[in-house]
Amino acid sequence: MQENNTTHQWSANLTLNEAVKYSGTLKTNLLVTIFVDNRTSIQASSSPKTTNRTARENFEILLEKPHINISWIKAHVGYFGNEAAASLAKAAAESNDVQLDIKLPKCHAKNILRKDIMKEWQSEWDEEDKGRSTFNIFPKVSLELETWNRADVLFFTGHGPFPSYLHRFNLANSPLCSCVEIGTPIHYATSYLFTTSRHMKLPKPSLEQKWYRGVPSNHLSSGRIRGIINRIPHRSFLSQTGPVKPQIHQLLNQGSNQFFSIRKPSSATSTFSSASHPVKTNEKV
């Protein structure tokens, strides 16, 4: 028996196969009933769509020999024939004298390949020196998709309109924001001046990694992240084509006041003439 074949799998498939083949060699047209305590083996041997080699062989014999029937029987309730067959099958499976080659089921082979692929993928992800910001959020690889929008990707990867990121590629003169602090994503989410209404509590340095892992799964925090991305200056230049470096440099030199400037009323609209707006007094004329 192969290492990947369990005793239950080996005994259920092989016992039924041997019983069906033996019944097919009998030169009789009398009804032959084979009692089996494994429903899975019965269903596989009765299905024309089965891909298991042993079950397919059983199906073909049963199709040619309609007088052979398979019936389910409850296991471990004291049926002498069933208990004896189970004991002999287990002894044969654990014996080294019996040499049988049973191919793995396709589903089992897929599971083995999937485990090997995931193990190799995880090893490469652990040893990689890039994408560490994403690694802090997703340390374990998975085949499940994460429903992140554009704002989530920009914030949690750090590859967004942040001065600390733009400065790495010489797209900004300084990594500092208008608050004269390092313009990192966590700074914009916790202490940036123009995102006060969407601030979250600043985590301790030792808990920063857990903070990054917990925020994506929180709907309220994710909504705040989207609002923060929409309030960061220079965000419009990320979607433009062509060189953006001169534009960003010019805006950084001018400061961020022009992005959030408050319009003051002009003198023409703020002054009132005495002719058009006479002042009422209590004095009698």
Side-chain angles (χ1 to χ4, degrees):
M1 185 176 65
Q2 298 177 0
E3 295 180 357
N4 296 317
N5 294 121
T6 62
T7 302
H8 180 71
Q9 173 190 349
W10 186 88
S11 60
N13 291 330
L14 185 60
T15 302
L16 179 58
N17 181 253
E18 292 296 328
V20 170
K21 289 193 296 184
Y22 176 77
S23 301
T25 60
L26 297 177
K27 297 180 180 180
T28 179
N29 292 327
L30 297 177
L31 180 63
V32 178
T33 302
I34 303 174
F35 294 97
V36 184
D37 60 3
N38 187 280
R39 291 183 182 271
T40 304
S41 299
I42 298 176
Q43 293 174 356
S45 300
S46 304
S47 174
K49 298 181 180 180
T50 182
T51 57
N52 184 274
R53 185 183 65 172
T54 304
R56 186 67 184 179
E57 184 179 1
N58 294 340
F59 175 79
E60 293 176 354
I61 296 176
L62 294 174
L63 189 62
E64 295 177 359
K65 307 290 184 178
H67 64 282
I68 302 177
N69 294 332
I70 301 177
S71 179
W72 178 79
I73 188 175
K74 191 174 183 179
H76 307 298
V77 292
Y79 293 112
F80 176 77
N82 180 259
E83 297 296 335
S87 178
L88 292 174
K90 183 177 180 180
E94 296 176 350
S95 175
N96 295 327
D97 298 333
V98 180
Q99 299 295 332
L100 294 173
D101 184 17
I102 302 177
K103 290 186 176 181
L104 292 175
K106 185 182 294 185
C107 60
H108 189 67
K110 287 182 178 180
N111 290 333
I112 294 176
L113 292 176
R114 185 181 293 108
K115 290 181 180 179
D116 291 342
I117 292 174
M118 296 298 292
K119 184 178 180 180
E120 182 178 357
W121 186 14
Q122 183 66 54
S123 178
E124 293 179 355
W125 182 232
D126 293 337
E127 299 175 359
E128 182 62 56
D129 57 349
K130 298 181 180 179
R132 295 299 88 184
S133 58
T134 308
F135 177 82
N136 293 333
I137 304 174
F138 301 110
K140 299 295 183 181
V141 297
S142 175
L143 297 177
E144 298 181 1
L145 296 178
E146 293 293 336
T147 56
W148 279 15
N149 55 27
R150 181 176 178 274
D152 293 334
V153 174
L154 293 177
F155 182 86
F156 293 111
T157 61
H159 298 174
F162 307 105
S164 59
Y165 176 72
L166 298 175
H167 182 67
R168 289 171 51 191
F169 301 95
N170 295 325
L171 296 176
N173 290 331
S174 171
L176 303 179
C177 68
S178 57
C179 304
V180 198
E181 295 186 22
I182 302 297
T184 59
I186 196 170
H187 166 68
Y188 281 93
T190 57
S191 57
Y192 184 58
L193 179 61
F194 297 106
T195 58
T196 304
S197 60
R198 296 177 175 85
H199 278 179
M200 291 175 280
K201 187 176 180 180
L202 179 65
K204 296 181 180 180
S206 59
L207 300 177
E208 185 172 329
Q209 187 172 354
K210 292 185 178 180
W211 184 87
Y212 272 108
R213 294 181 184 179
V215 169
S217 59
N218 189 297
H219 295 289
L220 179 60
S221 300
S222 298
R224 292 183 177 182
I225 293 300
R226 299 185 188 99
I228 290 171
I229 293 295
N230 293 332
R231 295 286 292 180
I232 298 179
H234 321 315
R235 64 184 183 277
S236 60
F237 297 102
L238 293 179
S239 59
Q240 294 183 2
T241 58
V244 299
K245 181 177 179 180
Q247 296 173 336
I248 294 181
H249 281 178
Q250 181 180 1
L251 292 174
L252 287 173
N253 293 332
Q254 294 177 359
S256 61
N257 291 332
Q258 68 178 52
F259 290 93
F260 305 101
S261 60
I262 302 176
R263 291 187 178 181
K264 296 181 179 180
S266 60
S267 58
T269 58
S270 60
T271 57
F272 297 88
S273 61
S274 59
S276 59
H277 299 278
V279 179
K280 295 182 179 180
T281 61
N282 294 328
E283 297 179 359
K284 294 182 180 180
V285 179

